[in-house]
Amino acid sequence: SYFFLALSFKDPFRWLYAYHLPADECTERFFNSNLCSNQNYITLAFMLLLDLVLFFLDTYLWYVVWNTIFSVGRSFYLGVSIWTPWRNVFSRLPKRIYAKILATADMEVKYKPKVLCSQIWNAVVISMYREHLLSVDHVQKLLYQQVASDDDGKRTLKPPAFFVSQDDAAFNQEFYPSHSEAERRISFFAQSLSSVLPEPVPVENMPTFTVFTPHYSEKILMSLREIIRESDQYTRVTVLEYLKALHSDEWENFVKDTKILAEENSSNFGQASAYGQALAQDADKAESKMKTDDLPFYTIGFKSAAPEFTLRTRIWASLRSQTLYRTISGFMNYAKAIKLLYRVENPEMVHLFGGNGSERLEQELERMARRKFKFVVAMQRFLKFNKDEREASDFLLRT
């Protein structure tokens, strides 16, 4: 600042301060000689103001430079720099789940940390599978699984190889699709736990919070007609085709899940599945028939026009194109997280209410979730909703 601002301003300041314009040369029409005689001081004031502005800008620039240097150094120390791999961010994830999510200091720990961490991690992975972000193969690679131990008659939990894959170059497996939503969520989850977090408290002691979302006229749940029709007269691409191209891996997982559901339904009615019928024929015809039978699934997401199948396609598309439905669906994960943490932190409660899956346990978990978290949707046009909007809102609030 001294060499580029103050030093360069010294000589012009001295010359302007000593300069005086003769009065007879000032012939300004409106201000007479006032403007001309003080011209040097006016110029000097503008130059001082400019130098002052540049001085503050220069000070702020140096603040940004040193703040960046300090932040980069701090990031390298914590292992959270974007220029280097997140240092052991996945291998440290189980320990960080145990230390930063579970309130182990206030709970009576009766199980090994691996057991408690496995419940949290498996729930995260399964939730992404239910949203069709992961395939069955990916889920099997990411889950904690029970395997036979060296001790006779005992079983132990085997952590997924995913936790050590980052540090071991020998692992060449795909745990999730590259550049996918699943990768973003898992990376964000691991990176957030690597930062400084407040000490966790038990769910029973956590503060109650409410999320408020306004709604006026936005579409709640897309209809099947809106999904499969062309967007406008100038394009032949439907909303569903666009979403399929944008989320190809998720659509593939959705189709596989729908096919399994369709086969289970057909088996319940005593009908042979398409796969079973194909096996009874020769290989060429079997493959041809399978492709023909699967064509509706890959085109519109269902083969039967039953409401439960069409609704699945509508939900899949709405979750990826409708802001309101995606927002509410995402925020309601708070309730699921509270139930999960409450169950993990209180293992004796699970036995008291009859074990996992019992109705009494689900009621207790629901009670705690409702006590700690509420979601308010302010539908300003609710009284003016038509039949479709009312059905969509009822379905949204039920789910």
Side-chain angles (χ1 to χ4, degrees):
S1 297
Y2 173 76
F3 290 102
F4 292 99
L5 294 178
L7 189 62
S8 62
F9 187 63
K10 181 181 68 173
D11 293 335
F13 182 87
R14 181 191 304 144
W15 186 86
L16 284 172
Y17 186 78
Y19 175 76
H20 293 283
L21 187 69
D24 55 354
E25 296 183 12
C26 296
T27 58
E28 210 280 325
R29 178 178 180 183
F30 297 101
F31 298 97
N32 297 324
S33 62
N34 295 327
L35 184 63
C36 293
S37 58
N38 297 309
Q39 183 177 1
N40 57 326
Y41 299 115
I42 296 174
T43 305
L44 190 61
F46 279 115
M47 292 179 65
L48 282 171
L49 179 62
L50 179 61
D51 260 30
L52 188 64
V53 171
L54 293 176
F55 171 77
F56 283 115
L57 288 177
D58 184 64
T59 304
Y60 178 72
L61 176 62
W62 280 110
Y63 165 77
V64 172
V65 170
W66 284 110
N67 184 59
T68 302
I69 294 174
F70 175 79
S71 300
V72 170
R74 180 68 175 170
S75 298
F76 273 101
Y77 174 75
L78 295 176
V80 295
S81 172
I82 62 174
W83 295 333
T84 60
W86 286 73
R87 189 175 58 205
N88 304 326
V89 68
F90 293 131
S91 60
R92 295 183 179 184
L93 186 55
K95 293 182 180 180
R96 287 169 175 168
I97 291 176
Y98 183 78
K100 296 189 175 184
I101 294 182
L102 297 174
T104 53
D106 299 314
M107 61 183 288
E108 184 180 355
V109 181
K110 297 181 179 180
Y111 298 93
K112 293 181 179 180
K114 184 190 296 186
V115 176
L116 300 178
C117 292
S118 67
Q119 297 181 55
I120 301 293
W121 176 253
N122 285 0
V124 171
V125 173
I126 292 174
S127 68
M128 289 191 290
Y129 169 73
R130 289 176 176 170
E131 295 182 31
H132 308 110
L133 303 179
L134 295 172
S135 65
V136 176
D137 295 335
H138 292 143
V139 170
Q140 291 177 347
K141 296 177 183 178
L142 289 170
L143 288 179
Y144 278 86
Q145 298 184 15
Q146 286 191 348
V147 296
S149 65
D150 296 335
D151 299 333
D152 295 337
K154 293 185 178 181
R155 300 181 67 84
T156 184
L157 279 174
K158 178 184 177 183
F162 167 73
F163 291 141
V164 297
S165 62
Q166 187 185 34
D167 300 329
D168 193 343
F171 283 96
N172 190 21
Q173 301 183 34
E174 183 186 69
F175 296 97
Y176 37 68
S178 179
H179 306 293
S180 63
E181 176 68 11
E183 180 182 11
R184 187 194 68 82
R185 291 190 187 185
I186 292 176
S187 299
F188 179 80
F189 179 62
Q191 293 165 7
S192 62
L193 290 182
S194 67
S195 59
V196 179
L197 297 176
E199 190 72 21
V201 297
V203 173
E204 294 178 335
N205 299 338
M206 67 177 286
T208 301
F209 64 102
T210 301
V211 177
F212 177 84
T213 298
H215 170 263
Y216 186 71
S217 59
E218 182 185 353
K219 194 72 176 179
I220 299 175
L221 183 65
M222 297 185 70
S223 65
L224 188 61
R225 178 182 178 85
E226 292 172 327
I227 295 173
I228 62 177
R229 74 177 180 183
E230 298 173 357
S231 302
D232 52 58
Q233 60 180 348
Y234 302 106
T235 179
R236 296 190 176 276
V237 178
T238 65
V239 173
L240 185 59
E241 289 173 346
Y242 172 74
L243 293 175
K244 284 158 55 178
L246 197 62
H247 309 282
S248 56
D249 293 324
E250 297 173 23
W251 178 252
E252 181 75 20
N253 298 334
F254 173 77
V255 169
K256 291 179 179 179
D257 192 29
T258 305
K259 287 168 61 179
I260 294 174
L261 182 62
E263 290 183 1
E264 289 177 353
N265 286 353
S266 63
S267 299
N268 292 337
F269 287 100
Q271 301 174 359
S273 66
Y275 181 72
Q277 294 176 359
L279 289 179
Q281 304 171 8
D282 58 86
D284 293 338
K285 291 183 179 180
E287 184 178 359
S288 176
K289 182 172 179 56
M290 287 297 295
K291 291 182 178 180
T292 303
D293 291 340
D294 291 347
L295 186 59
F297 289 110
Y298 286 97
T299 304
I300 56 177
F302 56 87
K303 187 176 181 181
S304 170
E308 59 268 23
F309 289 102
T310 59
L311 183 60
R312 283 171 54 85
T313 301
R314 293 171 60 193
I315 292 175
W316 186 90
S318 298
L319 277 173
R320 289 154 181 83
S321 61
Q322 295 303 113
T323 306
L324 180 67
Y325 196 95
R326 183 182 178 91
T327 300
I328 295 178
S329 177
F331 272 116
M332 288 309 295
N333 285 329
Y334 278 124
K336 298 177 183 177
I338 291 173
K339 293 179 183 179
L340 173 63
L341 286 178
Y342 187 50
R343 189 183 68 214
V344 174
E345 291 177 356
N346 301 275
E348 69 282 352
M349 179 192 65
V350 178
H351 299 290
L352 180 64
F353 288 98
N356 288 320
S358 65
E359 184 177 351
R360 293 176 58 198
L361 177 61
E362 292 300 323
Q363 291 176 354
E364 175 63 17
L365 297 177
E366 184 67 26
R367 182 194 67 81
M368 180 57 65
R370 290 179 178 272
R371 173 185 164 192
K372 294 297 180 180
F373 168 71
K374 291 180 177 60
F375 192 92
V376 179
V377 183
M379 296 182 172
Q380 303 170 54
R381 293 180 51 256
F382 185 76
L383 295 178
K384 299 180 181 180
F385 276 2
N386 56 35
K387 181 181 177 181
D388 294 336
E389 290 176 324
R390 193 171 293 275
E391 288 179 355
S393 63
D394 291 342
F395 172 78
L396 180 64
L397 296 177
R398 285 199 308 270
T399 55

